[in-house]
Amino acid sequence: MEELLRAWLPRQRWFAGKSSAVHEARVREVRVLREDDPMLLHAFVEAVTESASQAPDCYHILLGARRTLPRHLDAARIGRSDEYGEIYDALHDPELTQHLLTAIHDDVERAGVRFRREPGAEFSPDAPGRLLSGEQSNTSVVFGDETILKIFRLLVPGVNPDLDVTRALTEAGSPHVAPLCGWMETDIAGEPYTLGILQRYLRTGSDGWSLALTSVRDLFAEGDLHAEEVGGDFAAEAERLGVATAEVHRTLAHVLPTATGGAEFVEQLTEAMRRRLQAAADVVPALAAHITEIQQIYDTFRRRTSELHLQRIHGDLHLGQVMRTEYGWVFFDFEGEPGARIEQRAALASPLRDVAGMLRSFDYAAHYLLAGHTVPPQLAYRAAEWSARNRAAFCIGYAKVADHDPREEDAVLRAFEVDKAVYETMYEMKNRPDWVGIPLGALERLLAAEHRGS
Ligand SMILES: Nc1ncnc2c1ncn2[C@@H]1O[C@H](COP(=O)(O)OP(=O)(O)O)[C@@H](O)[C@H]1O
Ligand SMILES: O=P(O)(O)O[C@H]1O[C@H](CO)[C@@H](O[C@H]2O[C@H](CO)[C@@H](O)[C@H](O)[C@H]2O)[C@H](O)[C@H]1O
């Protein structure tokens, strides 16, 4: 089975090691969640890549096993194992995903995996499941347009903040979260792991990334019009998103702990950003040319910042994490940056980190359609205009709820945006190497803006 998984893992969208070859897939444990044919297995697999200095990443894989594979599961096939027969990705098999939903509904424990239902959550245990396809770091299955189960792939020990924060917002009655319905968890070598979460499915929502791209496309199609003149202008939505972001921050500050980070915190944060830059430069050689300038931005942040308000935040906020429904903007995926340790992701942080993430995302959307092409100056200008307009609208919306406009804290915001773009270069290199030019281009623009003093 290990040989089969070694070949299969790197082909998965959620596999975070695409920039290095997988030497070995070590199955740390397999548990049988269902014994009949089709079998359902829970596997915890370590991927040993060529960078031997790093601890191997651990992945959570739900495997189906059958004596023979029906045609409709061909695309999910992993291969033939001596021990289990035909093995395949169980999340493609409605018969097996149904089993997971029923287990959560019935609040049972199987082979050490605890399936839990959120108190009071009502949903149908036998709604049919369908796999979502998309640019995801995890894998989601939608059940009858009623609930959505996200299976976490890259596992780190600890309670996943997506569960904690979604629960806190659900219990606070926030309109900006899809209510929590249940979760799956286990213990491995004495450490707790969150394996998946079940939430209400927002059937009528559209995700922010697609909406933003539609608006950018619209602008590009109208070469002579300005962003505010085209029908697909996004600024009113960007402003509402700013309002909603500030409301989520306000609720989180109300129901979960807050703190103030002083000089020592600022110093540690600067150090952490420097370390991240170094780690990224090891993976993304093109960063080397910018290291000195980036460090100067971090130094300015350290010198100018005496303290920061700290609280629980989203941790990896971008347009792909928000959805526009008829009732307003809803946020999901509170798990922070995938791959980071749980303590880091659940740590109190400045809400300006989320603001920076969203500002980066407007810039990502503006430049995504142009990536990899020779760009005529007219389109480059339009992209910059769309980005600036929506970034400003977002901050205006945020300021309506918070007692300050995030742009007033320019040294903090600049440093957080640069740090996010550095993270993105590393994320793209590992996950979507063809996209790495997008955050690299953004860094060049951010550094050029710093030179111009804007
Ligand atoms: N509650 C929900 N209702 C409807 N769609 C959802 C819901 N939660 C997530 N999605 C969709 O699934 C996609 C991936 O969700 P996300 O939580 O960001 O997963 P990942 O961690 O894998 O990136 C989102 O972009 C959104 O389109
Ligand atoms: O999987 P997650 O949604 O938790 O986040 C990771 O993947 C994101 C991509 O899906 C990545 O976001 C980057 O690309 C987005 C467009 O696909 C863009 O909107 C974001 O601004 C950009 O950061 C995210 O960084 C990563 O953690």
Side-chain angles (χ1 to χ4, degrees), residues 132 136-138 148 150 178 200-202 207 320-321 323 332-333 335:
L132 276 192
Q136 278 192 257
S137 301
N138 297 293
I148 178 168
K150 174 159 76 172
R200 193 65 58 199
Y201 182 63
L202 307 172
D207 85 276
Q321 313 278 39
M323 188 162 250
F332 36 85
D333 202 6
E335 69 160 333

Side-chain angles (χ1 to χ4, degrees), residues 135 137 209 316 318 321 333 338 361 364 423-424 427 432:
E135 280 300 319
S137 301
W209 175 249
D316 187 20
H318 60 83
Q321 313 278 39
D333 202 6
S361 203
Y364 233 85
Y423 161 79
E424 287 167 345
Y427 177 86
R432 307 181 290 199

Side-chain angles (χ1 to χ4, degrees), residues 271-281 287 337 353 419-420 422-423 426:
E271 260 321 298
M273 292 195 290
R274 285 203 191 109
R275 279 197 302 275
R276 170 133 99 170
L277 175 60
Q278 202 46 60
L287 276 178
E337 290 167 351
R353 280 211 166 271
D419 179 52
K420 188 73 188 181
V422 166
Y423 161 79
M426 194 162 41

